[in-house]
Amino acid sequence: MSRPMEAELPGQPAPDPGSPDAGDQRPPRNAAKVADIRRYGQPPGLKDRRNEEHWAGRLYMRDLSPYFGWIALRLGFSPNQLTYLMMLSGIVAGVVVSLPASGTGALWTALGGALLIQVYLLLDCVDGEVARYLRRTSVAGVFLDRIGHYLSEISLLIGLGFAAQGGWKNGGWAELGLVAALGAALIKAETDNVVVARAKSGLPADPSGGDRALRPRSTGIALARQAASMLRFHRIIGAVELSLLILAAALIDTLTGADTPVAIRVLMVAVALVAVVQTLLHLVSILASRRLK
């Protein structure tokens, strides 16, 4: 749910009288209503963005976010301040998950992490809606939004590693969490570096051909990519999905009364495996597609 949706930058001049935006009479921030934020902060097609809009945003968060956007406008928050809060909530979620705890305590830390990731998701919606309402979308805002996603996923995966280790101490489980975090960061870096490589080569950010450009030229790789996409295994390293899986695993460990966090450790192995495999498959998929052409 990244921020850009309209070509609105700080200091942009008023709309030309003949443009579609000339009749835009949005109220000032202190007079905005929830309906105004929904109208101007959630343009048509926002929920349909294929690679940007999270399923949780479409399902429920975009229905809730205008109310919190209204509060943010009234309190005077800037879009970037909301993005910093998004980063903070995601990082703290990982710290909370990593807290040394066992039994019911581990369940509470997992619940706290899941709730903080929901706050992260909410702020990820609100910062963009406020930016679009105020006509303050910017390149810096997009950059901060991407960094926030990196930090939140990395923090949660590292937190899971320490939870599997059973505390803040060195060990194989903590190291496995670091491996998974590195994989998640590399996957995002691979995606972002497609844009960097095209820009350095003087090409537009998006390749021509739309979805066709994303498909690998090899039939075998294309089928493998389609199968992996259908199974959705890669989603378990996403912050929202992972936080819910951590909560479910902590609940299983609590109900079974295990001396060691067995379910958390099984999840850690699965997540690390998916992160490593997905890093390699994603790289191959990019190189085999037309995105770098």
Side-chain angles (χ1 to χ4, degrees), residues 43-204:
L46 181 68
K47 293 184 179 182
D48 299 327
R49 295 184 295 174
R50 182 176 178 272
N51 294 321
E52 297 291 343
E53 189 67 12
H54 195 276
W55 61 264
R58 292 191 297 269
L59 186 62
Y60 60 88
M61 199 58 81
R62 286 293 182 186
D63 294 326
L64 297 176
S65 57
Y67 296 95
F68 290 89
W70 178 83
I71 294 173
L73 286 174
R74 291 301 177 100
L75 293 177
F77 281 100
S78 71
N80 284 353
Q81 286 173 340
L82 293 168
T83 304
Y84 286 127
L85 289 175
M86 178 199 79
M87 290 183 190
L88 181 63
S89 61
I91 294 170
V92 173
V95 174
V96 169
V97 165
S98 74
L99 291 174
S102 59
T104 306
L107 180 60
W108 282 110
T109 58
L111 178 60
L115 290 175
L116 281 166
I117 290 297
Q118 290 299 308
V119 173
Y120 152 84
L121 178 63
L122 173 65
L123 290 169
D124 194 22
C125 292
V126 172
D127 65 353
E129 291 171 6
V130 169
R132 286 187 287 274
Y133 188 87
L134 297 175
R135 294 187 179 278
R136 289 173 62 182
T137 57
S138 65
V139 175
V142 177
F143 175 80
L144 289 173
D145 190 80
R146 297 297 299 173
I147 293 296
H149 294 170
Y150 272 68
L151 292 176
S152 299
E153 289 190 9
I154 289 172
S155 177
L156 195 59
L157 286 162
I158 293 174
L160 174 60
F162 281 115
Q165 188 67 43
W168 290 345
K169 52 190 176 183
N170 294 329
W173 296 106
E175 292 169 0
L176 200 58
L178 291 172
V179 169
L182 176 61
L186 285 174
I187 291 168
K188 289 187 176 297
E190 288 168 358
T191 300
D192 290 344
N193 273 298
V194 170
V195 178
V196 174
R198 291 182 64 85
K200 284 183 173 292
S201 301
L203 298 172

